[in-house]
C-alpha cells in the first residue's frame, strides 16, 4: 500500500497525540474531517493501522522480568505449538523465525522464579524439543514507529 505525505502526517499525529479526536486531527492538519476519516479507514483496511488501544506496561502489571525464549519444535508441530503458546498468558508475543530455533517468544514474569516456571511450562508442551532463554537487562530502544513513519514520509516527498 502506498502511503503519501498526508498519510504520514496523520500517522505522526496518531503516534504523538493518540487521544485526540478525529475532528481535532483534521483541524491540526487543515483537511476536511471526511477526508481524514476516509484516510484513516483506508489505512485500517490496508493494515497500516492495526490497533487503537492503549500501550500497557507488563512491569506496571507486576511482571517486570522480560525474556526472549527461542523454541525449537519437532518438525510438523509448529502450528500446534504456536496455538499452545497463545494459551500462556505470560507470552506477550511470538514469531516464527529462521536461525537458532523455530519460534521466538517475548515472555514476562513476576520474578526469575516465575519466569523459570513459565519456561518449564513451555518445555513440557507437546512438540517442543528445547528452549533457549535470554533475559533482558534494560530496554535501550523502546518500541517505536515514529522514526519509520518519518522515513516513509521523506521518501513519499522525494
Amino acid at each position: 500500500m502506498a502511503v503519501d505525505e498526508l498519510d504520514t502526517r496523520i500517522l505522526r499525529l496518531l503516534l504523538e497525540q493518540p487521544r485526540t479526536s478525529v475532528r481535532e486531527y483534521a483541524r491540526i492538519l487543515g483537511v476536511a474531517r471526511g477526508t481524514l476519516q476516509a484516510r484513516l479507514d483506508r489505512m485500517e483496511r490496508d493494515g497500516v493501522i492495526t490497533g487503537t488501544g492503549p500501550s500497557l506496561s507488563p512491569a506496571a502489571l507486576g511482571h517486570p522480568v522480560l525474556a526472549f525464549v527461542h523454541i525449537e519444535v519437532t518438525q510438523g508441530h509448529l502450528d500446534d505449538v504456536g496455538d499452545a503458546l497463545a494459551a500462556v498468558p505470560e507470552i506477550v508475543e511470538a514469531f516464527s523465525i529462521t536461525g537458532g530455533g523455530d519460534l521466538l517468544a517475548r515472555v514476562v514474569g513476576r520474578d526469575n522464579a516465575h519466569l523459570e516456571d513459565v519456561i518449564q511450562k513451555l518445555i513440557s508442551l507437546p512438540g517442543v524439543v528445547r528452549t533457549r532463554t535470554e533475559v533482558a537487562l534494560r530496554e535501550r530502544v523502546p518500541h517505536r514507529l515514529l522514526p519509520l513513519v518519518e522515513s516513509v514520509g521523506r521518501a513519499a516527498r522525494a
Side-chain angles (χ1 to χ4, degrees):
M1 175 213 141
V3 175
D4 66 15
E5 188 175 355
L6 178 56
D7 292 336
T8 60
R9 290 173 55 213
I10 293 168
L11 294 171
R12 180 185 186 90
L13 270 177
L14 287 173
L15 292 169
E16 290 178 337
Q17 301 176 34
R19 298 182 72 166
T20 302
S21 70
V22 171
R23 177 176 291 168
E24 182 63 11
Y25 289 142
R27 187 195 66 74
I28 291 168
L29 294 169
V31 300
R33 185 189 171 289
T35 299
L36 180 71
Q37 189 64 59
R39 294 285 185 125
L40 290 171
D41 292 345
R42 179 181 47 82
M43 287 191 285
E44 285 181 14
R45 190 174 50 253
D46 291 346
V48 174
I49 298 172
T50 58
T52 58
S55 293
L56 304 178
S57 165
L61 293 171
H63 290 69
V65 178
L66 170 63
F68 298 92
V69 180
H70 297 260
I71 304 167
E72 188 177 322
V73 176
T74 304
Q75 272 191 318
H77 290 87
L78 191 60
D79 289 339
D80 295 336
V81 173
D83 291 344
L85 294 180
V88 179
E90 295 86 359
I91 295 180
V92 295
E93 60 185 342
F95 302 91
S96 300
I97 60 169
T98 63
D102 300 300
L103 294 165
L104 178 65
R106 187 164 67 126
V107 180
V108 295
R110 292 186 301 272
D111 52 35
N112 286 345
H114 179 231
L115 177 62
E116 181 183 11
D117 293 342
V118 173
I119 293 166
Q120 290 300 319
K121 185 186 303 184
L122 300 181
I123 291 170
S124 71
L125 294 175
V128 172
V129 175
R130 72 179 50 85
T131 64
R132 187 181 89 245
T133 302
E134 298 162 350
V135 175
L137 300 175
R138 180 180 299 156
E139 183 177 66
R140 298 294 179 164
V141 178
H143 180 78
R144 69 213 176 113
L145 290 173
L146 186 55
L148 178 63
V149 168
E150 290 173 341
S151 175
V152 169
R154 284 189 298 274
R157 286 189 293 273

